[in-house]
Amino acid sequence: DADVTQTPRNRITKTGKRIMLECSQTKGHDRMYWYRQDPGLGLRLIYYSFDVKDINKGEISDGYSVSRQAQAKFSLSLESAIPNQTALYFCATSDPPSGEETQYFGPGTRLLVL
Amino acid sequence: AQSVTQLGSHVSVSEGALVLLRCNYSSSVPPYLFWYVQYPNQGLQLLLKYTSAATLVKGINGFEAEFKKSETSFHLTKPSAHMSDAAEYFCAVSDQGAGNMLTFGGGTRLMVKP
């Protein structure tokens, strides 16, 4: 089984709709991240969480919100989706305090906003 | 602030030829550096990482990269390309003092011709 899972894998929605992307991990890592990938721009950080009570905005947080329900779960919400939020979204985990500075990525969620 | 520049959004090589993917970074503190690979419709997989140990780092699938502080570079190489190497490659830098945040380059799509 994959260590970092994301649901759904693909989603089509309409402008103005609220949607939630979910991420779960079995690696036992405290830190979790949400990125979006756009062609030519690489990955950009949306939000990150160092533990359940520590959530921080990343480079491009406008229009997004997150919830860390447990150590293993980190959800990303688009409150009112707009077409320029069409992208590939990735969740990642890491645990630098234990020596695990590598970030491990989920398979991604492809989102299309019409 | 840190940044990553990957020269060449697309690189094409013949099967058996040398692969060279360029990455230059800027960082105000000694960096950690990473190369990730993304195969079609998949998440990002770690190829290799530099974390201030040996400057020549060997990764999976025959890839290696050399950290050159004087040139602020971390270029990825492979002596002989294989068709299965066709993918998108991302270089990333982590500022150890800023909570392990990753900054990604724009990515390089490697095409391998038979």
Side-chain angles (χ1 to χ4, degrees):
Chain A
D1 288 341
D3 295 320
V4 184
T5 57
Q6 293 182 234
T7 56
R9 293 294 312 278
N10 294 279
R11 179 73 184 268
I12 300 174
T13 191
K14 295 182 178 180
T15 297
K17 294 291 187 181
R18 182 182 189 276
I19 67 165
M20 179 182 289
L21 309 182
E22 298 187 341
C23 176
S24 294
Q25 53 114 346
T26 58
K27 298 186 76 66
H29 290 172
D30 281 333
R31 297 186 182 186
M32 298 187 72
Y33 311 80
W34 275 104
Y35 294 90
R36 66 176 278 174
Q37 181 183 7
D38 298 280
L41 297 179
L43 279 74
R44 292 179 292 166
L45 184 64
I46 306 172
Y47 269 95
Y48 60 101
S49 170
F50 284 175
D51 63 40
V52 175
K53 297 181 180 179
D54 185 357
I55 294 177
N56 305 277
K57 293 182 177 180
E59 178 186 355
I60 53 165
S61 60
D62 287 349
Y64 302 95
S65 63
V66 291
S67 173
R68 185 81 183 266
Q69 300 95 326
Q71 186 203 40
K73 297 184 180 297
F74 192 35
S75 301
L76 176 72
S77 294
L78 285 66
E79 298 302 326
S80 179
I82 56 176
N84 77 0
Q85 291 178 314
T86 292
L88 188 53
Y89 290 84
F90 286 105
C91 174
T93 75
S94 71
D95 198 25
S98 68
E100 187 54 274
E101 67 282 340
T102 298
Q103 289 191 18
Y104 294 90
F105 286 80
T109 294
R110 191 172 296 278
L111 176 65
L112 173 61
V113 183
L114 300 175
Chain B
Q2 43 191 14
S3 65
V4 177
T5 301
Q6 292 184 239
L7 292 176
S9 58
H10 292 80
V11 170
S12 181
V13 300
S14 298
E15 193 172 19
L18 171 71
V19 175
L20 171 60
L21 304 183
R22 298 179 186 274
C23 172
N24 288 89
Y25 71 92
S26 69
S27 177
S28 57
V29 298
Y32 286 168
L33 293 158
F34 303 80
W35 275 100
Y36 284 88
V37 59
Q38 183 182 28
Y39 297 105
N41 300 313
Q42 295 187 27
L44 276 71
Q45 177 183 359
L46 181 70
L47 265 181
L48 50 79
K49 63 183 178 183
Y50 166 78
T51 56
S52 72
T55 56
L56 182 62
V57 181
K58 294 187 184 300
I60 61 172
N61 301 336
F63 284 93
E64 63 181 37
E66 185 172 8
F67 171 66
K68 292 187 176 181
K69 184 179 179 180
S70 61
E71 298 177 7
T72 61
S73 69
F74 191 57
H75 301 330
L76 182 70
T77 61
K78 181 174 180 178
S80 177
H82 192 273
M83 296 297 290
S84 61
D85 294 327
E88 187 151 23
Y89 292 79
F90 293 94
C91 181
V93 61
S94 171
D95 184 342
Q96 303 170 49
N100 186 226
M101 295 300 104
L102 279 181
T103 299
F104 283 86
T108 297
R109 184 167 298 279
L110 176 66
M111 294 166 284
V112 182
K113 299 175 292 185

